C-alpha cells in the first residue's frame, strides 16, 4: 500500500509541474517539493 501511495504522490508531483506554467508559482513549487519527498519516501523505503 505504501508503494501505491508513493506512486500516486509522485504522479501528482509531476502533474503539478504543469501548474508552474500557469499561476502562483510559489505554492506550486512548495507542493511539488512536498509531494516529491513524500512519494520518494513511500515508494523507495520499505
Amino acid at each position: 500500500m505504501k508503494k501505491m501511495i508513493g506512486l500516486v504522490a509522485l504522479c501528482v508531483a509531476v502533474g503539478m509541474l504543469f501548474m508552474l506554467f500557469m499561476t502562483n508559482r510559489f505554492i506550486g513549487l512548495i507542493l511539488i517539493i512536498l509531494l516529491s519527498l513524500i512519494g520518494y519516501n513511500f515508494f523507495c523505503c520499505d
Side-chain angles (χ1 to χ4, degrees):
M1 187 66 180
K2 276 184 149 183
K3 288 193 180 234
M4 177 83 160
I5 294 170
L7 183 61
V8 168
L10 282 174
C11 289
V12 169
V14 169
M16 296 297 272
L17 284 173
F18 294 110
M19 195 175 93
L20 280 178
F21 300 111
M22 296 176 130
T23 60
N24 207 351
R25 293 184 182 191
F26 182 69
I27 293 174
L29 186 63
I30 290 174
L31 287 174
I32 289 168
I33 291 169
L34 180 67
L35 289 172
S36 295
L37 289 174
I38 291 171
Y40 176 76
N41 192 17
F42 280 170
F43 191 70
C44 293
C45 300
D46 287 333

